[in-house]
Amino acid sequence: MTVHFPFQNSYSALPDSFFARVAPTPVAAPRLIKLNRPLAVQLGLDPDLLETPEGAEILAGKTVPSGADPIAMAYAGHQFGNFVPQLGDGRAILLGEVIDRDGQRRDIQLKGSGPTPFSRRGDGRAALGPVLREYIVSEAMYVLGIPTTRSLAAVVTGEHVLRETALPGAVLTRVASSHIRVGTFQFFAVRRDTDAVRRLADHVITRHYPELLTAERPYHDLLAAVVARQANLVARWLLVGFIHGVMNTDNSSISGETIDYGPCAFMDAYNPSQVFSSIDEMGRYAYANQPRIALWNLTRLAECLLPLFSDEQEKAVAEAQDILGAFGEIFSEAYQAGLRKKVGLFTMRDGDEALIQDLLDAMAKNQADFTLTFRKLGDAAADDGTEVRAQFMEPAAFDEWAGRWRARTSLEPQTPAERQAAMQAVNPIFIPRNHRVEAVIQAAVNNDDYAPFEELVKVLAKPFEDQPDYAAYADPPLPDQRVLQTFCGT
Ligand code: AMP
Ligand code: MG
C-alpha cells in the first residue's frame, strides 16, 4: 500500500505569478519523530501508512506523493515595519490541499524542505529545535481553542543545518486553512497588479469567507471580516499570555489563524511590556502592543484593497478607515468578555472593567504568574484563596482586591462550585512554558532523546484538566530556569 493524499489543489491553479513550482529537495536519512495521528485521520490520511518508511520519506520531502503539485508561494511583507517587496516561501513548500472530514479545505505544507526561488541567502532548511517548538506550541494553542495552523508531523532529516553551530535538520509538516498572508496581498499591490489583487481577494472570499460571495460590496466586507478575525485572535492571545514575537505582515494570516511560530512564548509572570524575542530590540511586538500591531498590519491590508474599493482614492480611503475603525471595539469586546470569564463573572455590571484592571495591575506589580493566578482564582471561588494569594509577592495586594471580588461575585446566584467549574474551563493550568520547551529541545538536540517531548505534548493536550501525576508541569520556572530570550532559529 502506498500513502494516498486526497489532494484537491486550488492555489496552484491560480496564475503563475502567485507561486513558483518547486519540488522539495531530498534528504539523506529521514526519520519520523512525531506523527499527529488524530490530525492525520481528520485530514483523511492513513496514520499507519504515514508511520512507514515511505510515509517518513514523504513527510521529509524525499518522495512527492501522487496528486501533489508542490509550490512555493509568493509574498511580500513589512518586517519590523520595513517593507520587503519580495519574501515568499523560502523554506516551505506547499504539497497541496485536502478537504478534511469537516469539509474544510486544508493546506499541507512542508517547512524546512529545501531551497526555493524565494530563499534569498537562506538554505531552505529548518533546525530541529524550532520544529519541535512549533509542534508543541501550535498544538497547545489548538487545544486552548485558539485559531492556529497545526502540526501533522516532525521528521529529522539525517542531515545537519549550519546556524551558529551545526544542528540536526528537521522538517515540520504544517497544516493551515491556507497560507495566504497580508503580505500575499502586498506582493501584488506593490507591483500595481490590481487584477492579481482582485483574483487573490476572490480566492480568499471563496475559501475563507464564502458568506461574502453574494455581498454587495464583497471587498469591503472582506476587509471587515479579516479585521474581525484578527481582533478576536489577538484578544485570545492576550487572554492566555501568548506573545507571537514576529507579527510582521508576512506572518499575519488572512484566515485569522496564528501562523509562523518563531520566537513565540507564553509569559510566566504578568508583565504587559514583556518581550522574549532576541531580535525584537525595540519591543515592537511586546505582549500589550499586539492589538496595536494587528491593526497596523490590517491597515497595510486595507491599502492593498483600496483599488478594489473605488476608483476615487479619497472615497476608498475614507471607506477603509471606516472599516478599520471597528477594530478597537471588536478587540475590546472580545478581550473584556474573556477577562470577565477568567475572573468568573457571569454578568456585566458597571465597574467590572476597573475591577479586573485592578487585578491585572496588582499582578504586574507583584510579578504574579499569569496562568496560575487565574487558575488558582478559580479555586478561590470555592476556598479561602491561599494558593492564589501566594502568587503575589505582597499577598496583601491580593487580599484587598479579593474582598471586592467576593462582594461582586456574591451578587450572582451561582454556587461556589459552579463558579469554580466555569473558571477552570477557561483558565488553563498547563501552558507550554519556555523552560519546559527549552528542556525538551535540549534533550532532543543533544541526546536524541524524545521522551521529554512526548511527555510535554501529552500533558499539554489536556490544558484545563488537573493532572496530578504531572503537577510539576504547571510550575513557573525557578529563578535559574528562567528563559529570558527566545530565538527565531531560522
Ligand atoms: P520567518 O521569519 O520564518 O517568518 O521568515 C521570513 C522570511 O525568510 C520568509 O520569506 C522565509 O521563507 C525566509 N526564510 C527564513 N528562514 C529561511 C531559511 N532557512 N532559508 C530560506 N529562507 C528562509
Ligand atoms: Mg514567516
Side-chain angles (χ1 to χ4, degrees), residues 377-437:
L377 185 64
D379 296 331
D383 69 19
D384 64 1
T386 309
E387 286 195 62
V388 58
R389 183 169 197 270
Q391 303 302 320
F392 291 73
M393 248 167 22
E394 299 276 358
F398 174 74
D399 296 338
E400 186 277 324
W401 184 84
R404 290 190 282 144
W405 175 66
R406 290 192 191 281
R408 169 65 181 85
T409 53
S410 71
L411 301 174
E412 296 180 351
Q414 280 75 17
T415 65
E418 279 168 350
R419 173 160 288 108
Q420 182 187 25
M423 292 172 76
Q424 308 297 49
V426 295
N427 292 319
I429 177 155
F430 298 110
I431 52 151
R433 292 189 183 264
N434 293 326
H435 67 296
R436 288 283 174 183
V437 174

Side-chain angles (χ1 to χ4, degrees), residues 75 79 91 111 174 181 246 248 250-251 259-260:
Y75 53 84
Q79 300 186 306
R91 55 161 175 166
K111 189 169 171 184
R174 179 161 69 179
R181 306 142 191 274
V246 217
N248 294 334
D250 52 303
N251 295 337
I259 192 170
D260 276 11

